[in-house]
């Protein structure tokens, strides 16, 4: 972990780590500094408050498990584009093959869309712009990124832990992943583990403060998160995260 409020050197440090090991943890102070250098976060309170309005994941509910989520798709121009744009795409399903999601693969899952006010918020725009620049610098030949935004709330209830990754240790079937902690209330655990393709654990960390983040090269490593449990079983308990995934529209154009 690296503490820094000077975003440019920090970005170079984390870029080097991502290239070397395929993942990195970014502490809240560093991540917030990066984002504030990229764009405004002045509507963060409203942005974070939207997690209180997420819809139940009906697909997971059929399996006796629980979480809340919303979903949206964006197109991000590559960093070599003269004026890199970010465009929201029409609402569409989230799809993963069984190779990547043995629990719910090979089905089109239609989730409630990210609210328009959230999709056009300054905070989300800043996060997407940062992803465009940071991950784009790792693969500068990519002309366009298919980008999915997932709002997740994992709730822990009395006697029932919440499962941030009910599919277990997995890859998402994309190129890069940002996991950004939005809020964490009355919970224990929720530790992220990173694994080599052979299953060997090569790192672990826990997102505990708003803006703590995980950066993952999904082509190279697997990730998972342990269950969360309520510290006070009589009080509300949740873990809120924003997950942004980037997949090159032309995979053949990506350095490996």
């Amino acid at each position: 972990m690296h503490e820094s409020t000077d975003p440019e050197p920090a970005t170079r440090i984390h870029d080097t780590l991502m290239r070397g090991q395929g993942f990195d943890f970014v502490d809240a102070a560093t991540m917030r500094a990066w984002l504030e250098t990229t764009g405004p976060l002045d509507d963060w309170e409203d942005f974070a408050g939207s997690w209180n309005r997420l819809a139940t994941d009906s697909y997971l509910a059929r399996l006796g498990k629980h979480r809340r989520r919303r979903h949206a798709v964006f197109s991000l121009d590559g960093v070599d584009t003269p004026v890199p744009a970010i465009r929201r795409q029409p609402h569409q399903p989230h799809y993963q093959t069984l190779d990547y999601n043995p629990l719910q693969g090979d089905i089109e899952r239609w989730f409630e869309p990210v609210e328009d006010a959230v999709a056009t918020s300054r905070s989300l725009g800043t996060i997407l712009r940062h992803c465009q620049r940071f991950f784009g610098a790792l693969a500068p030949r990519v002309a366009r990124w298919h980008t999915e935004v997932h709002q997740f709330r994992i709730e822990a209830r009395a006697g029932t832990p919440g499962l941030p990754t009910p599919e277990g240790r997995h890859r998402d079937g994309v190129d890069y992943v940002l996991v950004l902690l939005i809020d964490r209330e009355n919970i224990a655990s929720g530790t992220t583990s990173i694994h080599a393709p052979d299953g060997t654990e090569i790192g672990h960390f826990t997102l505990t403060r708003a803006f703590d983040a995980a950066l993952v090269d999904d082509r190279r490593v697997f990730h998972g998160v342990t269950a969360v449990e309520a510290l006070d079983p009589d009080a509300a308990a949740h873990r809120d995260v924003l997950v942004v995934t980037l997949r090159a529209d032309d995979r053949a154009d990506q350095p490996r």
Side-chain angles (χ1 to χ4, degrees):
M1 184 177 76
H2 302 269
E3 289 277 355
S4 172
T5 56
D6 185 351
E8 290 188 8
T11 301
R12 289 195 294 271
I13 290 169
H14 291 275
D15 176 281
T16 299
L17 287 168
M18 276 288 290
R19 292 179 190 275
Q21 61 190 14
F23 75 95
D24 197 19
F25 168 82
V26 184
D27 64 89
T30 298
M31 192 69 202
R32 182 156 194 162
W34 285 2
L35 293 174
E36 288 176 337
T37 300
T38 303
L41 296 171
D42 55 314
D43 57 0
W44 181 265
E45 184 174 348
D46 289 339
F47 175 70
S50 70
W51 266 255
N52 294 320
R53 301 188 297 273
L54 301 189
T56 297
D57 181 341
S58 61
Y59 296 93
L60 202 58
R62 296 169 196 168
L63 302 176
K65 304 178 188 297
H66 182 78
R67 68 180 167 195
R68 300 181 185 276
R69 69 188 296 175
R70 286 183 183 271
H71 173 248
V73 177
F74 292 80
S75 176
L76 275 56
D77 287 343
V79 291
D80 280 352
T81 305
V83 184
I86 296 173
R87 308 173 188 85
R88 188 175 185 179
Q89 301 300 293
H91 192 50
Q92 55 195 268
H94 176 53
Y95 179 83
Q96 293 171 296
T97 68
L98 281 169
D99 291 336
Y100 293 106
N101 190 333
L103 188 66
Q104 295 184 301
D106 284 354
I107 58 173
E108 291 188 344
R109 287 181 288 164
W110 288 89
F111 299 110
E112 289 297 311
V114 168
E115 295 171 341
D116 289 344
V118 175
T120 59
S121 67
R122 292 180 292 280
S123 290
L124 183 59
T126 293
I127 293 165
L128 291 176
R129 183 72 67 190
H130 174 73
C131 289
Q132 184 180 44
R133 292 176 179 176
F134 182 84
F135 294 124
L138 297 175
R141 290 181 294 167
V142 173
R144 187 172 297 106
W145 297 99
H146 175 87
T147 303
E148 298 194 39
V149 169
H150 306 262
Q151 292 178 280
F152 287 108
R153 168 166 286 183
I154 306 301
E155 296 172 325
R157 302 173 179 182
T160 305
L163 299 174
T165 53
E167 61 271 63
R169 188 174 65 238
H170 67 286
R171 291 188 296 158
D172 289 335
V174 296
D175 293 292
Y176 298 110
V177 182
L178 166 71
V179 182
L180 182 69
L181 186 69
I182 304 299
D183 187 40
R184 178 183 171 104
E185 181 177 347
N186 185 36
I187 60 168
S189 195
T191 296
T192 299
S193 60
I194 307 294
H195 301 259
D198 65 2
T200 302
E201 182 178 308
I202 56 177
H204 65 271
F205 44 83
T206 304
L207 307 182
T208 60
R209 296 181 294 168
F211 292 100
D212 275 352
L215 307 173
V216 179
D217 184 335
D218 192 65
R219 302 163 303 175
R220 295 168 55 194
V221 298
F222 289 69
H223 63 279
V225 185
T226 61
V228 297
E229 298 182 359
L231 293 169
D232 178 355
D234 296 322
H238 64 252
R239 178 182 187 264
D240 293 349
V241 298
L242 177 75
V243 175
V244 182
T245 66
L246 282 75
R247 174 175 55 81
D249 275 353
D250 182 359
R251 284 181 172 271
D253 198 30
Q254 272 194 100
R256 294 295 178 179

